[in-house]
Amino acid sequence: MSEKPVLYYFNARGRMETIRWLLTVAEVDFDEVFLTSRDQYLKLLENGDLLFQQVPMVEIDGMKLVQTRAILNYIAEKYNLHGKDLKDRAMIDMYSEGLMDLTQMIRLLSWLSDPKDQLEEIEKKAKERYLPVFEKALTGAVYLVGGKFSCADVYLLECTLMLEESFVGILKDFGNLKSFQGRMLQIPAVNRFLLPGSKRKLPFDQKSLALAKQVFNMKS
């Protein structure tokens, strides 16, 4: 049996959460090492583990991978979640890029002292730019691309759940998306990940933000 992947990050959502989602849906168990001090981070740098001096970092198949999208692409390819051919992969990547953009906007809210204006902007963009694209793509379709479950479906589920945490009822005018979400929530691995006690994390809060700033020696 191969060793479990090891995830290096903070005990919070951030950029690692999508990686946790993808591994979970692929039915891959993983271990986690949480950053808790600057010395721990400096040790990783000293060992040459962080190619661009950043986390997330995932130790998998004898490699130490950094850069979130590179990690996600490797996992998607390894577990057959990246389409059946080049055209499917292009569509999956296109949808995934859009979802990453929207998801990152939501994640960054934790770093703002007053997110009110940004919340309004995100809601507007979600309703007018992003959600209509996926609502249309799911017309008469079970999955986003090629009639086959892919990483893009995982990213879409995570994104819709994050949106609903900030904007209650945001999917009410998007019936296809709501149905899609309902289907995804019936997947046993997804259902388990949403239960208390799973490896799903909470968003960054003031305590974890302060720790991240201390680890990276950020002045503000």
Side-chain angles (χ1 to χ4, degrees):
M1 179 181 291
S2 61
E3 293 183 3
K4 291 188 288 186
V6 182
L7 282 52
Y8 293 76
Y9 200 66
F10 299 94
N11 188 13
R13 284 188 192 171
R15 291 179 178 271
M16 185 65 88
E17 191 71 359
T18 304
I19 297 167
R20 296 183 185 108
W21 266 105
L22 194 58
L23 286 169
T24 295
V25 172
E27 301 276 8
V28 178
D29 194 17
F30 55 87
D31 290 326
E32 298 190 77
V33 174
F34 298 129
L35 292 180
T36 58
S37 71
R38 180 158 177 80
D39 285 345
Q40 185 185 14
Y41 168 70
L42 292 175
K43 184 65 174 176
L44 290 171
L45 291 182
E46 181 183 324
N47 293 342
D49 292 336
L50 303 180
L51 192 62
F52 299 108
Q53 303 180 17
Q54 297 172 326
V55 289
M57 192 261 282
V58 173
E59 198 167 355
I60 184 171
D61 296 339
M63 300 181 292
K64 293 179 178 179
L65 298 179
V66 296
Q67 298 300 102
T68 306
R69 293 181 189 184
I71 296 167
L72 290 169
N73 285 342
Y74 182 82
I75 295 168
E77 288 285 350
K78 179 178 174 68
Y79 296 104
N80 197 28
L81 293 169
H82 204 196
K84 65 181 183 297
D85 55 33
L86 187 60
K87 287 185 177 180
D88 273 5
R89 285 192 288 275
M91 293 299 297
I92 288 168
D93 289 346
M94 185 170 64
Y95 287 135
S96 298
E97 289 283 333
L99 287 163
M100 296 295 177
D101 289 348
L102 180 54
T103 300
Q104 186 61 7
M105 290 182 215
I106 303 169
R107 288 193 186 116
L108 290 175
L109 290 170
S110 299
W111 294 79
L112 302 177
S113 57
D114 183 6
K116 181 178 181 296
D117 290 344
Q118 192 62 23
L119 276 166
E120 292 174 357
E121 181 69 12
I122 291 171
E123 184 175 20
K124 178 179 172 63
K125 285 184 176 179
K127 288 180 175 180
E128 296 179 3
R129 180 184 301 181
Y130 292 99
L131 294 181
V133 171
F134 298 103
E135 178 73 7
K136 181 178 180 181
L138 289 167
T139 301
V142 175
Y143 305 116
L144 281 174
V145 179
K148 186 174 184 291
F149 185 61
S150 75
C151 59
D153 298 300
V154 180
Y155 308 152
L156 179 56
L157 173 61
E158 181 194 16
C159 188
T160 59
L161 291 173
M162 290 174 69
L163 282 169
E164 287 185 319
E165 285 179 340
S166 296
F167 312 105
V168 176
I170 193 170
L171 298 184
K172 67 181 178 62
D173 295 325
F174 299 94
N176 291 336
L177 273 168
K178 197 65 182 172
S179 295
F180 165 84
Q181 189 188 71
R183 292 193 298 273
M184 295 303 103
L185 293 177
Q186 293 177 23
I187 297 172
V190 170
N191 188 271
R192 290 193 301 271
F193 194 58
L194 294 174
L195 293 175
S198 78
K199 291 180 179 179
R200 190 184 188 210
K201 302 296 184 283
L202 294 172
F204 273 93
D205 57 17
Q206 291 304 309
K207 183 178 179 180
S208 51
L209 284 174
L211 173 61
K213 290 176 181 179
Q214 184 266 323
V215 166
F216 295 129
N217 198 25
M218 298 168 67
K219 300 304 181 185
S220 60

